[in-house]
Amino acid sequence: ASAKPKENFEVLLKMEPLAVEVGLGLVNLVERGNDSPLLQRVAGIRRQLATQLGYLMPPVKVKDNIALRAREYVIQIRGTEIARYELLQGHELAISSGNPDHALQGKATHEPAFGLPAIWIRQDQADLARSSGYTVVDGVSVIGTHLTEVIRKFAYELFTRQDAKTFCDRVAQDNPKVVEDLVPKLLPLATVQRVIQNMLRERVSIRDSVGILEALGEAAQSSKNSVLLTEYVRQSIRRGIISPLANAQGEVPAYLLDPSIERAIEASVDHGELNSVLTMAPEAIRDIVARIGRKIEKSETATLISSAGARHFLRQILEAAFPNVTVLSHNEIPSEVKIRSRGVIE
């Protein structure tokens, strides 16, 4: 008798950083391998994020799963489900942008990436929906937009030590001295990784890799604390952070923070040798969130300006309740940029 093929347990142990599982009704989106609509969309997302965020995301493993409902899909990070959604057979998703001038017939729902109100409509209604001011998207676009938003949100978790090494190696090709003087002479690779993760967590582009590592080389002479290093790097690449926030007139509309709130946050920070931690009491944190909630809607995209010492921790406090609020420090605003005040949070 022929010997049984040896089972490869290594394959069972391998954890995919990013995976999308689809129900059997969506297999047609992936069955032609790299030529399939979904995998072509994923390749486009990788290009888009590399250009915008400077982050090359890991390959996405797409597979079918018979345990899912026919037209359901699940997005996983390191084997853990992060999001799921179900597409409606024979329908497209009409997303309302502002005040549409025509009410559509269909099944009300929410678009999965941003939670916007939407309607499932039959494909023959798509033209009417577009002319009435809706954005109409097909199944592949729904999954693609959802996946892009999940990756933007969790890019900092996906950015591994190996990614940090690749990031440094890319800079070293043209600027060997920058890397040679920094890692490991001044900083371990783990700290470089942590600083980049801090930036990705706030959706700051890391494309200016030379600028980031040069700033780290300067700041590391006086500190090894990853929070303080991150703030120094952000101030060095501030024009890249500000430009997406400016309006057509070159102004940044922003809310300002009352100095008493800034002082309360700064007084509650413990700076250690390698990290800084906020030790503020939970009720004080809830009070700050409530004060900001009186001025800013939960889903609103807004900019808030605070002191440099409070900025990182204010953003931590607001991350869950106000995911679309960008927090800047006064030191991150170039002299030529005008701030247009939307009010003070008192």
Side-chain angles (χ1 to χ4, degrees), residues 47-312:
R47 274 195 301 277
Q48 178 192 351
L49 290 177
T51 311
Q52 290 175 352
L53 265 187
Y55 168 63
L56 188 61
M57 68 188 224
V60 181
K61 177 87 173 164
V62 183
K63 50 187 189 259
D64 53 51
N65 179 350
I66 55 170
L68 295 177
R69 295 159 76 133
R71 297 185 61 76
E72 194 172 38
Y73 66 86
V74 167
I75 300 171
Q76 296 176 335
I77 289 181
R78 299 217 171 98
T80 303
E81 178 183 322
I82 293 293
R84 72 165 61 205
Y85 193 66
E86 190 172 3
L87 304 174
L88 199 58
Q89 173 75 41
H91 286 65
E92 295 193 349
L93 198 58
I95 303 161
S96 130
S97 37
N99 294 319
D101 52 14
H102 184 86
L104 290 179
Q105 297 301 308
K107 184 182 175 188
T109 183
H110 281 86
E111 168 280 338
F114 305 100
L116 301 170
I119 303 168
W120 286 114
I121 56 167
R122 293 193 319 275
Q123 282 156 348
D124 57 14
Q125 283 187 291
D127 290 339
L128 168 67
R130 284 191 191 94
S131 61
S132 305
Y134 289 86
T135 303
V136 180
V137 290
D138 62 3
V140 172
S141 299
V142 171
I143 301 173
T145 307
H146 196 180
L147 180 63
T148 306
E149 195 49 28
V150 165
I151 295 165
R152 280 180 190 280
K153 188 174 179 184
F154 293 101
Y156 74 99
E157 283 188 22
L158 292 164
F159 191 87
T160 61
R161 191 73 46 85
Q162 185 58 48
D163 288 329
K165 170 86 168 67
T166 308
F167 183 87
C168 292
D169 290 347
R170 251 198 328 269
V171 172
Q173 286 172 5
D174 296 326
N175 299 269
K177 193 80 181 122
V178 174
V179 179
E180 195 182 300
D181 289 350
L182 179 65
V183 183
K185 280 186 195 168
L186 286 173
L187 289 179
L189 189 60
T191 305
V192 175
Q193 179 194 4
R194 176 52 51 89
V195 167
I196 293 171
Q197 284 176 323
N198 286 344
M199 292 169 71
L200 286 173
R201 187 166 187 160
E202 297 192 47
R203 304 190 182 198
V204 171
S205 170
I206 56 168
R207 267 192 85 179
D208 182 8
S209 47
V210 178
I212 289 169
L213 294 186
E214 281 189 340
L216 274 178
E218 284 169 35
Q221 313 273 356
S222 54
S223 174
K224 306 285 183 265
N225 177 313
S226 60
V227 170
L228 299 178
L229 290 171
T230 304
E231 295 308 293
Y232 188 89
V233 171
R234 285 177 57 105
Q235 289 166 29
S236 295
I237 62 163
R238 58 189 185 275
R239 285 190 174 80
I241 294 176
I242 281 277
S243 68
L245 304 171
N247 61 20
Q249 290 74 46
E251 302 171 324
V252 175
Y255 292 95
L256 301 169
L257 202 62
D258 189 280
S260 63
I261 300 178
E262 296 172 344
R263 286 195 294 273
I265 294 172
E266 286 174 24
S268 307
V269 176
D270 277 352
H271 293 294
E273 193 187 339
L274 300 176
N275 202 6
S276 300
V277 185
L278 184 69
T279 58
M280 188 175 257
E283 55 272 23
I285 290 175
R286 282 196 293 273
D287 179 53
I288 291 172
V289 171
R291 285 168 192 275
I292 288 168
R294 287 179 208 136
K295 291 267 187 188
I296 302 175
E297 296 287 322
K298 289 278 187 205
S299 59
E300 189 182 333
T301 301
T303 301
L304 190 57
I305 298 176
S306 84
S307 65
R311 192 210 71 79
H312 176 85

